[in-house]
Amino acid sequence: MDDANRELPQTDVALVIGANDVTNPAARTNKSSPIYGMPILDVDKARTVMVIKRSLNPGFAGIDNELYYLDKTLMLFGDAKAFTTQLVKNISGNGGGFH
């Protein structure tokens, strides 16, 4: 986690699949949060964050993830396998957009 966190400020895109509490900036910033002080992946420090989830349901801690409401975060709702397959096709030039 420490190695990844050192790289994230220089990262163009962080792709998050289904993670909730382990990516929530409240663990660093909100002293009243039940996850305050918990080690997290600092994906919010990447230039752009793409999150693939089935819904906005909270994680184990039962709280909203502040990451989801940042201007730099793109929320993709649906099946992670289908989204990542289409992302790979689009990046390689073999795709046709998202369906």
Side-chain angles (χ1 to χ4, degrees), residues 51-91:
V51 178
I52 302 173
K53 288 188 55 78
R54 291 193 182 275
S55 71
L56 278 177
N57 288 341
F60 183 76
I63 59 173
D64 277 341
N65 188 333
E66 295 176 4
L67 174 70
Y68 302 161
Y69 304 98
L70 299 177
D71 288 340
K72 65 167 78 181
T73 301
L74 305 170
M75 297 297 296
L76 305 171
F77 294 101
D79 180 78
K81 183 178 179 182
F83 268 120
T84 53
T85 299
Q86 193 62 47
L87 277 171
V88 170
K89 285 181 182 177
N90 287 348
I91 291 169

Side-chain angles (χ1 to χ4, degrees), residues 37-53:
M38 181 180 93
I40 64 164
L41 289 165
D42 295 335
V43 296
D44 60 310
K45 295 183 179 180
R47 288 180 190 94
T48 301
V49 182
M50 295 175 67
V51 178
I52 302 173
K53 288 188 55 78

Side-chain angles (χ1 to χ4, degrees), residues 1-46:
M1 185 178 288
D2 290 337
D3 290 341
N5 282 343
R6 276 192 288 278
E7 298 291 327
L8 284 164
Q10 294 84 35
T11 302
D12 288 328
V13 178
L15 177 61
V16 177
I17 300 175
N20 243 324
D21 298 334
V22 298
T23 61
N24 193 336
R28 286 193 322 269
T29 61
N30 185 348
K31 291 184 179 183
S32 66
S33 172
I35 62 170
Y36 182 75
M38 181 180 93
I40 64 164
L41 289 165
D42 295 335
V43 296
D44 60 310
K45 295 183 179 180

